[in-house]
Amino acid sequence: MARKENDPNAVLVIGLGRFGSAIAATLEQLGNKVLAVETDPALAQKWSHQFQVVEADARSPEALLQLGATSFDHVVVGVGTSLEASVLITANLVDLGIKEIWAKATSREHGTILERIGANHIVYPEHDAGTRVAHTVSGRMLDYIEMEDQFTIVKMRPPKEVIGYSVGELRLREKYGITLIGVKSPGQPFEYTTTETRIGNGDILIVSGESQLLEAFADRV
């Protein structure tokens, strides 16, 4: 089962709960080669038709070696319900020299521990989902993705004061501190903006910038 050479498109996913199974299924759809590890026989059986699944305990370094974990550059630790298991599995992967480890955390304290033992990327699915819903449940934002250092990308409807004007006329960066990446007009394909791009009433905007500046821009009615 181990690979002789590391495949950059191969990903090892440990834990097939809602988070891990969603990642594994999406990666498979995107053309990645997925090997999933799960201790629950029912979950392993449930997903075995969609991607390769091995029933094993990743808390054991020997089990990870037998699975060929060292042949993966990218590993996702989707175990979150057991703090002990999450930490132990992540520590095992660090000891094996895995280049990129994505680990699910259920709290900031959990994430801090994972980061300190060597996880490269900490994911807070419940917190991130809550943040996105909070920004979209009311107001003009249709989607909200917060990156790092307050940099955010949003999908939103245009405030009234920008409708009918071109990007060049609006000087969005100068006046609002944001960048309009693209516009999706009704019945038209998405287009990256130029200074001549004119914003219509039914358009959907893709905008980037600092979170607070985007909130202020979206609130302009």
Side-chain angles (χ1 to χ4, degrees):
M1 195 168 297
R3 294 177 174 85
K4 294 181 180 179
E5 294 183 1
N6 288 22
D7 185 343
N9 292 319
V11 183
L12 177 64
V13 178
I14 300 174
L16 288 177
R18 284 178 294 181
F19 176 74
S21 61
I23 288 180
T26 303
L27 285 169
E28 185 76 14
Q29 291 170 4
L30 292 173
N32 296 90
K33 297 177 182 178
V34 175
L35 173 62
V37 182
E38 174 56 52
T39 57
D40 186 333
L43 283 177
Q45 177 63 31
K46 176 182 177 180
W47 293 102
S48 60
H49 68 284
Q50 192 160 343
F51 41 77
Q52 187 178 9
V53 182
V54 175
E55 187 182 333
D57 188 349
R59 293 176 297 180
S60 165
E62 292 77 15
L64 288 173
L65 285 172
Q66 291 177 2
L67 291 167
T70 54
S71 65
F72 292 85
D73 289 335
H74 307 282
V75 179
V76 177
V77 182
V79 178
T81 54
S82 170
L83 176 62
E84 179 183 357
S86 168
V87 170
L88 187 55
I89 292 168
T90 302
N92 288 339
L93 295 169
V94 172
D95 290 342
L96 291 175
I98 304 301
K99 292 181 179 180
E100 294 288 329
I101 302 172
W102 298 74
K104 172 186 174 180
T106 55
S107 68
R108 291 294 173 184
E109 293 77 12
H110 184 186
T112 298
I113 295 171
L114 293 172
E115 188 174 13
R116 286 180 178 174
I117 53 181
N120 308 94
H121 310 277
I122 310 300
V123 184
Y124 301 90
E126 288 83 3
H127 174 270
D128 294 344
T131 299
R132 292 181 70 180
V133 171
H135 282 89
T136 59
V137 73
S138 62
R140 307 179 70 83
M141 292 188 182
L142 303 174
D143 204 354
Y144 180 97
I145 303 175
E146 189 169 355
M147 311 295 280
E148 295 180 354
D149 301 324
Q150 294 297 307
F151 179 78
T152 304
I153 299 175
V154 302
K155 180 169 71 172
M156 60 176 291
R157 302 189 188 281
K160 290 181 180 179
E161 65 184 58
V162 305
I163 295 173
Y165 293 91
S166 70
V167 173
E169 293 170 332
L170 289 169
R171 296 179 296 148
L172 295 173
R173 187 68 184 171
E174 180 181 335
K175 294 173 62 176
Y176 306 107
I178 63 169
T179 300
L180 180 57
I181 300 173
V183 175
K184 174 69 171 66
S185 299
Q188 300 296 321
F190 172 86
E191 291 186 1
Y192 290 101
T193 55
T194 67
T195 55
E196 288 76 31
T197 301
R198 194 166 298 276
I199 299 175
N201 185 43
D203 289 348
I204 299 298
L205 311 182
I206 306 297
V207 192
S208 67
E210 293 184 12
S211 302
Q212 292 182 344
L213 296 177
L214 289 169
E215 290 283 0
F217 179 67
D219 287 340
R220 303 182 73 90
V221 295

